[in-house]
Amino acid sequence: MISQSSELALITGASSGIGRAIAERLASQGKHVVLVARNRDKLESFARHLTSTYGVRATGIACDLAEPDGVHQLIAALVIEQHKPTMLINCAAVGATGAFWDSSHAALSRMLLLNTDAIVQITRHVLPHMLAINHGSILNVSSMVSAFPVPFMACYGATKAFVSSFTQALRQELRGSDIAVTELSPGVVLTEFQQAAGYTLTDTERNSAMTADQVAESALRALAQRRAVHVPGLLNAIAAFALALVPTRFIAWCTARFMRKTGRAKLQAASRIDVLRIREARHKDIAQMSE
Ligand SMILES: NC(=O)c1ccc[n+]([C@@H]2O[C@H](COP(=O)([O-])OP(=O)(O)OC[C@H]3O[C@@H](n4cnc5c(N)ncnc54)[C@H](OP(=O)(O)O)[C@@H]3O)[C@@H](O)[C@H]2O)c1
């Protein structure tokens, strides 16, 4: 039997990790879902699973939100299918490690489009309906790193700072309405994120990491409670509180050291090669001068 719920949740990044776990939980509550990511096969089989397990309408819309017309394709599909979400979970994002000057312009543009512009455009599309019925909720997935600069993940950190700032501003603009706006700022979560961003977790990070399901559960509770910011996990919440007391310049310095130490700066090999090249060039110069 199909759920009689009037709630429809639009979830980006729903094919894996936190987005997928949130979609599963919402479906288990009887809410209908529209799932967005690039991988069509994953979305379709997940949608079939949600419908057969929870009796909800589940639709997959495959589109690349990092492409300049990706959001337009999504919005066109929503309009054609007459999907009017009452919940929006902006979860899709990618990270990338390494020195800023080594990143390609194309990769940076894709990250900025996905992590910031897509959130703005999708939110702008769904809000008029929420305002018209004076009902809705928006969960924007940021990160604990939104609170400080992240050397060797400079643009990722900056996109998350954007998400946090945008979310808190929007929340104030919507005060007095029945639309909840919550920022979710997780610490380390065991998902495909790290592999996609080009690094592996240290043992300490892995041991203290949360699962996507744990994050999804506490995030949806925080959204229902209309919390402004939610940092899942007690240790993460304490760390976030403590970090807010430390000058961001010092945190940036410590983060740069950590990124170099864990190989995420990806500088060691390059800098060794540079040193060798400089030495080689000097030897050649000296040899030519002595001829
Ligand atoms: N994992 C962590 O430690 C951690 C910590 C703090 C914050 N976060 C945040 O949590 C959110 C979810 O990340 P996750 O950990 O669940 O990572 P994940 O498992 O890699 O999931 C990312 C999701 O985004 C989708 N996606 C990626 N590129 C896309 C594109 N161009 N267009 C449309 N969809 C795209 C992916 O599906 P396709 O590949 O099929 O497109 C996938 O469904 C992100 O906002 C991330 O910044 C994660």
Side-chain angles (χ1 to χ4, degrees):
M1 198 174 104
I2 285 290
S3 161
Q4 295 304 305
S5 171
S6 57
E7 298 285 350
L8 174 67
L10 172 64
I11 304 135
T12 70
S15 67
S16 76
I18 300 169
R20 185 183 165 105
I22 288 177
E24 178 106 32
R25 286 207 165 255
L26 290 173
S28 74
Q29 296 165 2
K31 297 186 172 82
H32 306 293
V33 291
V34 176
L35 315 165
V36 181
R38 287 167 302 177
N39 190 316
R40 188 180 300 278
D41 291 347
K42 264 192 184 178
L43 285 182
E44 286 177 356
S45 72
F46 185 39
R48 279 196 299 274
H49 158 73
L50 295 180
T51 301
S52 62
T53 312
Y54 305 110
V56 295
R57 279 193 299 275
T59 314
I61 300 178
C63 64
D64 188 343
L65 298 174
E67 285 294 313
D69 66 344
V71 175
H72 293 133
Q73 285 174 13
L74 169 61
I75 290 174
L78 292 174
V79 171
I80 289 168
E81 297 293 328
Q82 296 192 344
H83 289 310
K84 292 182 176 173
T86 52
M87 289 188 87
L88 171 61
I89 315 291
N90 280 310
C91 190
V94 288
T97 44
F100 170 70
W101 59 85
D102 275 340
S103 318
S104 80
H105 188 268
L108 291 175
S109 295
R110 283 181 58 80
M111 184 195 290
L112 296 180
L113 277 177
L114 176 66
N115 294 14
T116 60
D117 193 62
I119 292 179
V120 172
Q121 299 306 333
I122 297 169
T123 307
R124 180 66 188 83
H125 174 75
V126 302
L127 254 179
H129 175 64
M130 292 184 184
L131 285 165
I133 60 172
N134 191 29
H135 171 72
S137 42
I138 298 172
L139 181 75
N140 286 341
V141 184
S142 182
S143 166
M144 273 180 77
V145 303
S146 64
F148 51 87
V150 191
F152 304 108
M153 272 186 115
C155 287
Y156 174 73
T159 63
K160 291 301 172 182
F162 176 95
V163 174
S164 297
S165 172
F166 170 67
T167 307
Q168 293 313 313
L170 184 63
R171 179 184 165 81
Q172 290 305 323
E173 289 189 26
L174 290 168
R175 264 180 91 95
S177 78
D178 201 7
I179 300 170
V181 182
T182 297
E183 169 196 332
L184 171 66
S185 281
V188 180
V189 190
L190 298 171
T191 66
E192 294 170 18
F193 176 85
Q194 293 83 17
Q195 196 189 357
Y199 69 97
T200 47
L201 294 172
T202 62
D203 288 345
T204 315
E205 284 175 315
R206 197 170 298 108
N207 293 337
S208 60
M210 294 179 77
T211 64
D213 208 39
Q214 288 171 325
V215 172
E217 201 232 324
S218 71
L220 290 178
R221 210 178 321 120
L223 184 61
Q225 292 166 350
R226 306 174 71 92
R227 298 261 296 274
V229 182
H230 179 57
V231 178
L234 182 62
L235 284 180
N236 288 334
I238 293 169
F241 180 78
L243 282 170
L245 305 173
V246 181
T248 51
R249 272 184 303 169
F250 180 65
I251 303 175
W253 180 80
C254 294
T255 308
R257 274 179 68 98
F258 173 78
M259 299 296 267
R260 286 196 178 94
K261 212 173 133 196
T262 52
R264 291 176 206 175
K266 297 175 183 165
L267 283 176
Q268 283 105 334
S271 55
R272 235 180 275 130
I273 289 165
D274 289 344
V275 170
L276 289 174
R277 277 199 195 123
I278 291 164
R279 274 196 200 143
E280 202 180 307
R282 276 202 197 128
H283 284 313
K284 271 187 195 157
D285 284 352
I286 292 165
Q288 278 169 359
M289 279 159 64
S290 58
E291 273 173 11

